[in-house]
Amino acid sequence: MRSSHTDSAILHDPRRVLRKRLSDFVTRVPHPWHGAMRSLLDVFREHDWQVFVFGGTLRDLLAVSATAAPRDVDLVVAGATGPALRAAFSRELVRVNRFGGLHLQVQKLPVDIWTLESTWAFQQKLVHGGDFAHLPRTTFLNVEAVAAELDTRKGRARRVYGEPFFRAVREQVLDINLEENPYAGLCVVRSLLTARKLHYALGPRLARYVAHHGSRIDAAELEAIQLSHYGRIRLDRDQLMRLIRIVSGKRMATRPRPVELPRVRQLEWKLPRPQQLDWHSREWRSTSREAPIFQSTG
């Protein structure tokens, strides 16, 4: 990890840093999410619901920047039913997903909200317990395995759960937290894009997963998944497939250890078609026989 005052603080006491940054995110007036979060808090307090911020928002606040503006905010609620949530946010409701979660637009900002007991891994009995403390165990990636209390009483520390997350930030390694997931293609895409965003290496389990599933899913489908989830193409199909091949090659060539991804510039050239790769391979073998002076000595 690069050395800085902020990094030192995170290494020493990441929970304290995250509590402070989340508090600023909710209460700091200039922040674009301030109004939306205060509006949500008013509703939660009116109904006396317990609410935790979950996943990517907390990841970005600690691992990216104290002033990170998330793409959306995930909130998990205890003490409410699905119908009660829909009634409370009927004006903000955009759609209900297949698991009963709500997608809201709160002051033009996207919010996903669902009840604690409807969390997919709890429903599927993949994670036992069903409390907020067990929520971090339900995520696919370790860098999203974190939950923090949204509202707190004055003088009481905000509850934060997520040791796998804090370990990932300290080590700067992205890996699998809970492998069972119904959307393997989305997991591959999100893993590669998240690793590049954070500049983290892929852990051995995740590298194996990306190599296995990425090679079995059509490149066009991976591109379509990206467009559907993010609303735009961040890596085109050639770049995605090149990353998958690089991960697969590095995973096979070394002992189980984190796999570093290439930088952006290394992905700018187009991936040759298979027949082009074969042609270059044949040409190299022919050249190497005719002119052994060019063979590698490394």
Side-chain angles (χ1 to χ4, degrees):
M1 179 176 282
R2 291 182 299 274
S3 177
S4 73
H5 294 301
T6 302
D7 291 340
S8 298
I10 291 172
L11 287 171
H12 178 68
D13 193 348
R15 279 182 172 79
R16 183 186 63 80
V17 175
L18 184 58
R19 286 187 181 106
K20 175 63 168 60
R21 292 184 179 184
L22 179 57
S23 179
D24 288 346
F25 176 78
V26 173
T27 61
R28 191 172 55 242
V29 175
H31 199 286
W33 277 87
H34 169 74
M37 298 308 294
R38 300 307 301 181
S39 175
L40 289 164
L41 274 172
D42 288 343
V43 176
F44 298 144
R45 287 169 176 171
E46 178 185 348
H47 291 83
D48 197 26
W49 291 335
Q50 292 184 70
V51 183
F52 273 63
V53 185
F54 184 49
T57 300
L58 301 174
R59 173 202 65 207
D60 288 354
L61 285 175
L62 191 66
V64 177
S65 167
T67 57
R71 185 172 61 90
D72 57 16
V73 170
D74 291 336
L75 300 174
V76 185
V77 182
T81 63
L85 280 180
R86 290 194 292 273
F89 295 107
S90 59
R91 294 182 179 180
E92 295 84 2
L93 181 61
V94 175
R95 64 178 178 273
V96 180
N97 68 29
R98 69 183 68 184
F99 304 113
L102 311 184
H103 181 73
L104 311 177
Q105 283 285 336
V106 183
Q107 299 186 14
K108 299 183 179 180
L109 295 172
V111 176
D112 290 317
I113 183 170
W114 65 92
T115 61
L116 180 63
E117 61 270 18
S118 68
T119 301
W120 183 79
F122 291 156
Q123 288 282 320
Q124 300 299 312
K125 309 299 182 185
L126 298 172
V127 175
H128 300 289
D131 199 353
F132 283 119
H134 306 110
L135 195 58
R137 293 164 51 194
T138 68
T139 66
F140 177 74
L141 292 174
N142 58 354
V143 294
E144 293 166 358
V146 58
E149 195 172 15
L150 177 62
D151 195 15
T152 60
R153 294 180 181 179
K154 189 173 182 179
R156 184 172 67 83
R158 191 186 303 273
R159 287 179 290 170
V160 177
Y161 305 112
E163 186 51 41
F165 165 72
F166 295 119
R167 183 166 58 250
V169 173
R170 286 193 299 268
E171 298 175 355
Q172 295 192 342
V173 175
L174 187 72
D175 215 338
I176 291 175
N177 182 53
L178 176 68
E179 186 163 348
E180 291 83 356
N181 193 286
Y183 304 111
L186 180 58
C187 287
V188 169
V189 169
R190 292 185 65 250
S191 296
L192 292 173
L193 290 175
T194 300
R196 286 169 57 79
K197 175 181 180 178
L198 300 179
H199 305 291
Y200 283 10
L202 300 185
R205 286 184 66 201
L206 184 56
R208 184 169 60 248
Y209 184 98
V210 168
H212 175 79
H213 290 284
S215 64
R216 287 161 174 76
I217 302 173
D218 184 73
E221 181 180 346
L222 290 175
E223 194 174 61
I225 288 170
Q226 191 178 176
L227 182 61
S228 173
H229 187 73
Y230 294 101
R232 64 186 179 92
I233 300 298
R234 297 188 177 186
L235 289 172
D236 64 34
R237 65 186 68 182
D238 288 333
Q239 293 171 325
L240 278 170
M241 297 314 295
R242 175 157 168 73
L243 273 179
I244 291 167
R245 292 188 185 193
I246 288 172
V247 170
S248 182
K250 287 188 175 183
R251 187 186 72 84
M252 296 299 293
T254 62
R255 295 178 180 179
R257 61 183 184 184
V259 172
E260 299 283 350
L261 296 183
R263 297 182 179 182
V264 176
R265 291 180 180 178
Q266 294 174 286
L267 295 176
E268 290 179 349
W269 61 279
K270 293 293 183 181
L271 186 70
R273 295 188 179 92
Q275 60 268 31
Q276 291 176 305
L277 289 171
D278 293 342
W279 183 85
H280 286 300
S281 178
R282 288 196 298 272
E283 181 186 65
W284 182 87
R285 287 196 296 269
S286 174
T287 303
S288 65
R289 286 195 297 269
E290 295 171 4
I293 192 172
F294 293 111
Q295 290 182 1
S296 171
T297 59

